[in-house]
Structure formats: structure tokens, C-alpha cells
């Protein structure tokens, strides 16, 4: 939808009300802007750090990030919000395909 109509506000409200019902949760804000400024590897590191509460996750490539996300999140009941996704490559690097996550997962994506 158009900018300023409340997509992020609504996604944040859903996230805060539902996060307690999952094994883990993560709200990645401003995906488009952060991907342009810092790159996809940074976003993948942020996602993993938030979910596992580990600040020492270091990735050397998007491919390594894809492998680690797929492997470590496969059995997690996860609530993930990706806010302001613009590029399909960004989405693929962060959530890949439905088989990356275990049963009971929810992924919410806001986009223009």
C-alpha cells in the first residue's frame, strides 16, 4: 500500500500482541532502507542476533546467511515481521521459502 497508511503501525501492533505465543519473535524494521545502507548480510546477522539473543553472529556472505537461517530456524515456532520490503532478493535472503521454518510459524511482510 501507499506510504503513510499505517502498515508498519498495524504490523507492530500485531507483533506486540502475538509475540508471546511463539518460541521466538523478531521485528525487522525498514528492510528496504537497511538493505541499501548496510547490505543483506547485515540484515541476516540482525535477524539471527535478535532471534537467538546472540550478538557475536558474523556472516561472510548472503549464501552463508541463507544456510544458517534455514538450519537454525527450521524447528522454531517463529513470529517474524519484515517491515518495508521492496526487493524480492531481500525477501529470499531472509525467509527463502516456506520449508525454511517449522510448523506454527508466521511471517508478516509489509511492502509498498
Amino acid at each position: 500500500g501507499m506510504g503513510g497508511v499505517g502498515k508498519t503501525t498495524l504490523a507492530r501492533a500485531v507483533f506486540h500482541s502475538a509475540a508471546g505465543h511463539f518460541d521466538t519473535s523478531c521485528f525487522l524494521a525498514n528492510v528496504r532502507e537497511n538493505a541499501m545502507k548496510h547490505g543483506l548480510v547485515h540484515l541476516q546477522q540482525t535477524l539471527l542476533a535478535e532471534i537467538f539473543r546472540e550478538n557475536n553472529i558474523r556472516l561472510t556472505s548472503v549464501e552463508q546467511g541463507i544456510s544458517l537461517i534455514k538450519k537454525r530456524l527450521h524447528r522454531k515456532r517463529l513470529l517474524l515481521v519484515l517491515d518495508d520490503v521492496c526487493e524480492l532478493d531481500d525477501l529470499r535472503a531472509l525467509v527463502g521459502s516456506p520449508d525454511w521454518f517449522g510448523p506454527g510459524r508466521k511471517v508478516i511482510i509489509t511492502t509498498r
Side-chain angles (χ1 to χ4, degrees):
M2 293 175 16
V5 297
K7 297 178 299 293
T8 299
T9 302
L10 180 59
R12 194 175 300 277
V14 169
F15 177 80
H16 287 301
S17 68
H21 301 285
F22 293 85
D23 295 337
T24 189
S25 58
C26 177
F27 189 104
L28 277 181
N30 304 312
V31 170
R32 176 177 49 93
E33 180 181 333
N34 285 315
M36 288 189 325
K37 281 186 181 177
H38 306 290
L40 288 175
V41 170
H42 173 78
L43 280 172
Q44 290 172 324
Q45 288 176 170
T46 302
L47 171 67
L48 290 165
E50 291 224 3
I51 290 173
F52 294 103
R53 308 290 184 236
E54 297 175 15
N55 292 324
N56 60 347
I57 296 172
R58 298 291 175 246
L59 303 171
T60 58
S61 69
V62 171
E63 291 75 21
Q64 181 189 24
I66 287 171
S67 177
L68 193 58
I69 290 168
K70 186 176 178 180
K71 184 171 116 180
R72 291 194 69 184
L73 298 182
H74 184 68
R75 296 201 167 118
K76 292 278 187 191
R77 284 191 51 237
L78 167 72
L79 172 61
L80 173 61
V81 176
L82 301 176
D83 176 54
D84 194 22
V85 176
C86 185
E87 299 294 330
L88 190 55
D89 286 341
D90 299 352
L91 191 60
R92 286 184 180 136
L94 296 169
V95 296
S97 64
D99 65 333
W100 280 24
F101 303 100
R105 77 202 174 276
K106 299 291 180 216
V107 178
I108 299 170
I109 301 162
T110 68
T111 186
R112 287 187 181 184

